[in-house]
Amino acid sequence: MPQRTIRNMLADRPLITATPDMSVRAACRLMAEKRIGALLVMEGGRIAGIFTERDALNKVLAGNLDPDRTPLAQVMVAEPLCIRADRPLSHALHMMSEGGFRHVPVVEDDGRAIGMVSARDALGQEMVELEYDIKRMAALETSIGY
């Protein structure tokens, strides 16, 4: 599998963030304006959480919460798993597959947030090759009786 680093993928992307006290409606407007599916929620220069389209749907709309009065802190995923920028995209895809999520915050070695990768980033060759690798691993496990 190609080892395209996450840092290279993020080179031209701005970091879009929100604050824990931002309303869900304001966050959704920002995501729509920027055409993104998730926001990093930052507090005091560190990642406090992540807010995604799925959070808006499953926690706010389905939960009958008022998007104008609900702060992100109430519905975000707090302290999300992150990946370092020097890692290959395949590592982020593995994290997403194992964790059942579609966005991973990206950080430098010092923990400073620099961006976000999503499953959509892998709709190219990496996704095809990851699916092949998963099938190959499953076949190997079956052949050795795992």
Side-chain angles (χ1 to χ4, degrees), residues 37-93:
L39 288 169
L40 283 179
V41 181
M42 304 291 291
E43 186 171 42
R46 70 168 198 63
I47 298 173
I50 182 173
F51 176 75
T52 70
E53 298 164 321
R54 288 167 76 180
D55 296 324
L57 175 66
N58 296 327
K59 296 175 183 176
V60 180
L61 293 176
N64 203 29
L65 299 176
D66 182 347
D68 291 311
R69 293 186 180 159
T70 304
L72 293 183
Q74 184 178 334
V75 293
M76 71 183 185
V77 174
E79 300 180 19
L81 293 176
C82 298
I83 192 164
R84 288 193 337 262
D86 64 345
R87 305 303 298 171
L89 177 61
S90 60
H91 287 216
L93 294 174

Side-chain angles (χ1 to χ4, degrees), residues 94 98 133-146:
H94 180 73
E98 290 292 310
D133 287 349
I134 290 170
K135 287 177 185 173
R136 192 184 75 215
M137 293 292 283
L140 180 60
E141 288 175 355
T142 301
S143 70
I144 61 174
Y146 216 24

Side-chain angles (χ1 to χ4, degrees), residues 1 5 13 23 31 34 48 59 70 79 85 87 91-92 94 99 107 109 113-114 126 129 141:
M1 177 175 282
T5 66
R13 293 188 199 172
S23 74
M31 290 190 307
K34 300 296 183 180
K59 296 175 183 176
T70 304
E79 300 180 19
R87 305 303 298 171
H91 287 216
H94 180 73
V107 297
D109 288 340
I114 64 165
E126 280 94 349
E129 292 180 15
E141 288 175 355

